[in-house]
Amino acid sequence: MGTRWSAVFFSADPDPRLQVALRAAVDAVDATMSTWKADSDLMRLNRMPRGIWLEVAPQLCAVVALGLQIGQASRGAFDIGVGAAVEAWGFGASDPQSDNLPIARAVSPLTTANAVEVDLPGSRLRRHGDVSIDLSGIAKGHGVDCLAEVLIAQGIADFIVSIDGEVRGCGTKPDGSGWLVGLERPDREHRQLARTLAVSDVAIATSGDYRHFRTVGGKIVSHTIDPRTGAPLDGHVCAVTVTAEHCAVADAWATALMVLGEHEGPVLAEQLGLDALFTLRRNGILHEIGIGAFAQAPNDQHREN
Ligand code: ADP
Ligand code: MG
């Protein structure tokens, strides 16, 4: 997935084979879910003729099922069927199709659930429609959960693991203090700390418009697609951070709430009992909306730059 992973943990007698096992866990996610590897299980699925089952790794079935479930719960805002739009807008592995924008979607968002069939017990998948599956909004979070499982299986209870900006912390440091995670200011030019959060037995994921973006027709567009239009988001929300028990869930909801935007996002997050921090950028001023565990967070306002 073209990014870095890390695992930090305390253990009196660490087994050197742990590093091998951790690497194998992220490699397995990459080999099954990457859209950048033509031979990943996911890309093979995307090339399969309609109606034909493809046997895949059980974890791919599980992530597709979770993606579809969060797709329904987010009213189609999280849509693993955005693959063609991601490619067309230049955020995929192929060259952008600049004269083809915005692309007309082959399927409407809520039909992705009908276009992909998951057979969990049989560990197979098939497509019924011409939908291109993209798991980049959830796979990194899932990879973080896989890293956590490797450590938990070895009896390690105090660790922090991450892939890119998706993080999961368990237990504490040896001195009993919590793991600290920094949240960046949503700024395209500078890297600056906005706040720190102590994470213990929780996963945290952030989606934003300030790291992965391009200029198309003189306008800056970022990599989150609104499945209702097939085009990149055009709202005021510039970042959403979500905490949850599992990082795959936090990752997918961070993307979903970005799409739902400043009005619908906080309302749905509140209804579903999610813990989410929305950052809005309006006329260069940043505003925050905190839901659930983030409701107590100071609602500071600051001018950008
Ligand atoms: P990051 O990769 O920075 O952690 P996200 O978790 O938000 O960010 O994932 C963004 C990626 O998810 C995009 O690059 C794209 O591949 C995919 N994606 C874009 N829009 C959606 C969407 N509405 N639903 C699901 N996945 C999406
Ligand atoms: Mg995500």
Side-chain angles (χ1 to χ4, degrees), residues 159-214:
F159 61 81
I160 185 160
V161 288
S162 68
I163 301 182
D164 211 5
E166 331 304 352
V167 185
R168 184 163 155 183
C170 277
T172 61
K173 296 189 219 168
D175 66 2
S177 63
W179 300 102
L180 289 182
V181 173
L183 295 190
E184 272 185 314
R185 251 167 79 89
D187 187 321
R188 294 193 174 112
E189 276 146 40
H190 310 99
R191 305 203 88 151
Q192 217 182 318
L193 192 64
R195 64 167 72 202
T196 48
L197 292 176
V199 293
S200 188
D201 303 324
V202 78
I204 179 162
T206 299
S207 285
D209 70 353
Y210 52 97
R211 284 288 161 262
H212 301 285
F213 56 86
R214 310 178 50 235

Side-chain angles (χ1 to χ4, degrees), residues 78 136-139 141 166 205-207 248 250-256:
F78 188 75
S136 301
I138 187 170
E166 331 304 352
T206 299
S207 285
D251 189 4
W253 273 110
T255 306

Side-chain angles (χ1 to χ4, degrees), residues 35-36 74 76-83 86-87 91-92 134-141 163-166 205-208 211-212 222-228 231 233 250-252 254-256 258-259:
T35 45
W36 302 83
S74 65
F78 188 75
D79 184 1
I80 60 170
V82 291
V86 170
E87 285 290 326
F91 295 106
D134 179 327
L135 296 173
S136 301
I138 187 170
K140 278 187 282 183
I163 301 182
D164 211 5
E166 331 304 352
T206 299
S207 285
R211 284 288 161 262
H212 301 285
S222 110
H223 69 157
T224 309
I225 302 292
D226 186 338
R228 294 165 289 202
L233 295 184
D251 189 4
T255 306
M258 277 286 293
V259 172

Side-chain angles (χ1 to χ4, degrees), residues 102-114:
I103 66 142
R105 284 179 52 83
V107 288
S108 71
L110 284 171
T111 60
T112 298
N114 299 324

Side-chain angles (χ1 to χ4, degrees), residues 248-268:
V249 171
D251 189 4
W253 273 110
T255 306
L257 294 176
M258 277 286 293
V259 172
L260 286 168
E262 62 186 300
H263 301 297
E264 225 183 323
V267 171
L268 187 67

